Amino acid sequence: MPRTATRLEGFTESVIRGMTRLANEHGAINLSQGFPDFDPPEALLAALETATRGPHHQYAVTWGAPRFRRALARKIGRWNGLDIDPDRHLVVTCGSTEAMMVGMMSTCNPGDRVIVFSPFYENYAADAILSGAEPIYVSLRPPHFQFDRDELESAFRRSPKAIILCNPSNPTGKVFRREELLEILRLAEEHDTFVITDEPYEHLVYPPLEHTHFAALPGAFDRTITCNSLSKTYSITGWRLGYVQASAEVIARARKVHDFLTVGAAAPLQEAAVAGLESPDAYYSELRDSYARKRALFLDYLRRTGLAHSEPEGAYYVMVDIGPLGFSDDTAAAEFLVRDIGVAGVPGSSFFREPEHRYLRFHFAKKEDTLHAAGERLLKLGKAGS
Ligand code: GLN
């Protein structure tokens, strides 16, 4: 066989998605890949039924169905305080996953550098390699996952084309403070760098903290490429709906990448998802409150295991320090958990640049009953370690 592409040798298949397959194989409660086990809002299900009988079974406009983009622009105006032109500032994508790839490919040339905070969502390293860019890693230091200003500044001095920012952050649960974001913006302006943000958890920020939308910071819009998704906000990860929001100049490029990568996101799902985008304000506060309850419930079980863990300020992931359990590494621990405890998590090393094998990542986007069942099983783990 001829030799396949060398660029694929620099990364593995997703460890997160691999853990879901392992969990399914062993019938474990799946707290690895972050997705809910509860239904989307009733309004979305009804709209989906209607859409199946409508005239939306062929390609939508490649950069997004007009009705969907208009609803998206209204929702962004309401929640992010930006005046978005649905025809010039948006490309609808297959999830934020495609949006990030489009963002990278629209801005980076082979050989360009990109700043990535570590730990990071595992897609970013693969996105960088696929677009030919070289990541420069800057550590987010536990327990509060702050960055060191000097380390960030020296990364910027290496003339990166872009910095990737996940806020709220997967996997740490960090919510970047306004002052931190202003510091990043100041450096990005000084070094003329794009800021590619990934914000699918914008509505999952636990009080008293609030989400700061990077593109809405003073002067930030033109250099910011916002990637976002409807997956988490409306509990529809399988619909694969996301978007890129950026200046008209960047969007003109992003449309080209998107058009030749995927042509478009599923047309009937775009029509149906308008019902989600039109949700009243109360929907978002109820969503946040229900996740705050799940968070409290799950963290209480973790506290009872006696294992140290992160306290997520946003999103729905927790990093648990499994060091005291004495496994040879996090992968061995994750496999033991799936097989013998019946709970799946993700080996933390897949999120770190540093050789860090002390953590498992769990998520709590599950029904309270599921979290109780998983929590009871995890308590056995605490005993195994004591
Ligand atoms: N963001 C989710 C996670 O970290 C998964 C998203 C995906 O698999 N596309 O688990």
Side-chain angles (χ1 to χ4, degrees):
M1 184 175 110
R3 193 147 179 223
T4 54
T6 44
R7 78 170 82 82
L8 298 175
E9 286 157 21
F11 58 97
T12 64
E13 279 190 58
S14 157
V15 177
I16 298 176
R17 269 83 77 185
M19 283 310 302
T20 283
R21 292 192 293 276
L22 196 66
N24 292 344
E25 218 173 279
H26 291 272
I29 300 174
N30 188 3
L31 305 187
S32 61
Q33 187 181 16
F35 62 88
D37 64 349
F38 43 87
D39 284 335
E42 185 50 42
L44 272 165
L45 296 178
L48 180 60
E49 255 179 69
T50 309
T52 62
R53 296 286 160 200
H56 311 295
H57 296 288
Q58 314 309 327
Y59 305 120
V61 172
T62 173
W63 53 86
R67 205 171 139 254
F68 182 82
R69 273 183 291 117
R70 285 197 298 271
L72 199 49
R74 282 195 296 275
K75 195 257 175 192
I76 294 167
R78 166 72 188 92
W79 287 97
N80 304 130
L82 285 173
D83 189 8
I84 292 294
D85 180 339
D87 293 325
R88 295 166 65 241
H89 296 143
L90 293 173
V91 177
V92 178
T93 56
C94 300
S96 194
T97 299
E98 188 206 336
M100 288 297 294
M101 197 68 232
V102 167
M104 293 282 298
M105 294 192 79
S106 305
T107 51
C108 289
N109 288 313
D112 280 346
R113 299 192 172 107
V114 181
I115 299 178
V116 177
F117 286 109
S118 171
F120 57 94
Y121 175 49
E122 61 172 7
N123 282 36
Y124 305 154
D127 291 345
I129 293 170
L130 286 171
S131 51
E134 181 206 332
I136 310 173
Y137 293 97
V138 172
S139 301
L140 291 175
R141 294 159 197 236
H144 298 297
F145 299 106
Q146 278 148 322
F147 57 84
D148 178 273
R149 274 159 204 250
D150 292 339
E151 190 187 345
L152 185 63
E153 194 148 10
S154 59
F156 268 101
R157 276 200 293 270
R158 295 177 63 195
S159 310
K161 182 56 87 63
I163 176 169
I164 294 178
L165 184 71
C166 183
N167 184 32
S169 156
N170 177 8
T172 64
K174 175 185 173 67
V175 170
F176 282 81
R177 306 299 194 266
R178 191 179 167 85
E179 312 79 70
E180 291 176 305
L181 298 175
L182 287 170
E183 175 74 12
I184 292 169
L185 176 60
R186 185 187 68 72
L187 288 166
E189 282 170 343
E190 193 181 318
H191 296 272
D192 202 20
T193 308
F194 283 112
V195 181
I196 304 179
T197 73
D198 190 16
E199 304 183 40
Y201 308 96
E202 63 174 329
H203 291 288
L204 303 181
V205 173
Y206 305 109
L209 296 178
E210 284 180 3
H211 180 65
T212 306
H213 183 54
F214 195 91
L217 292 174
F221 187 77
D222 283 349
R223 68 178 61 254
T224 306
I225 295 147
T226 304
C227 300
N228 209 332
S229 154
L230 278 70
S231 291
K232 276 65 185 193
T233 304
Y234 305 106
S235 308
I236 49 170
T237 63
W239 290 27
R240 313 305 304 122
L241 287 179
Y243 60 94
V244 180
Q245 164 207 302
S247 68
E249 290 71 22
V250 170
I251 287 297
R253 276 69 171 186
R255 281 180 181 183
K256 290 200 255 184
V257 180
H258 162 76
D259 195 358
F260 289 106
L261 266 181
T262 63
V263 177
L269 298 181
Q270 293 187 52
E271 290 301 324
V274 170
L277 295 169
E278 290 176 341
S279 300
D281 288 5
Y283 170 74
Y284 301 93
S285 51
E286 280 161 20
L287 179 83
R288 184 202 58 205
D289 292 348
S290 85
Y291 272 101
R293 284 193 299 276
K294 294 177 196 302
R295 173 183 179 275
L297 188 164
F298 189 59
L299 291 188
D300 189 51
Y301 277 104
L302 289 179
R303 188 186 52 72
R304 287 162 59 198
T305 64
L307 296 170
H309 57 80
S310 61
E311 298 277 338
E313 302 168 332
Y316 48 50
Y317 303 102
V318 193
M319 298 291 266
V320 178
D321 184 345
I322 41 104
L325 299 180
F327 289 97
S328 54
D329 66 15
D330 54 345
T331 305
E335 285 174 3
F336 172 83
L337 251 84
V338 170
R339 294 202 172 94
D340 293 84
I341 303 284
V343 179
V346 182
S349 53
S350 56
F351 304 101
F352 280 90
R353 161 68 173 168
E354 302 81 359
E356 181 59 87
H357 297 273
R358 271 191 313 150
Y359 297 105
L360 288 185
R361 190 201 74 173
F362 296 103
H363 79 88
F364 51 84
K366 292 287 181 244
K367 293 175 192 157
E368 295 193 9
D369 283 352
T370 312
L371 293 174
H372 278 296
E376 292 298 332
R377 292 180 187 190
L378 289 174
L379 289 178
K380 290 187 228 150
L381 185 69
K383 292 200 186 80
S386 59

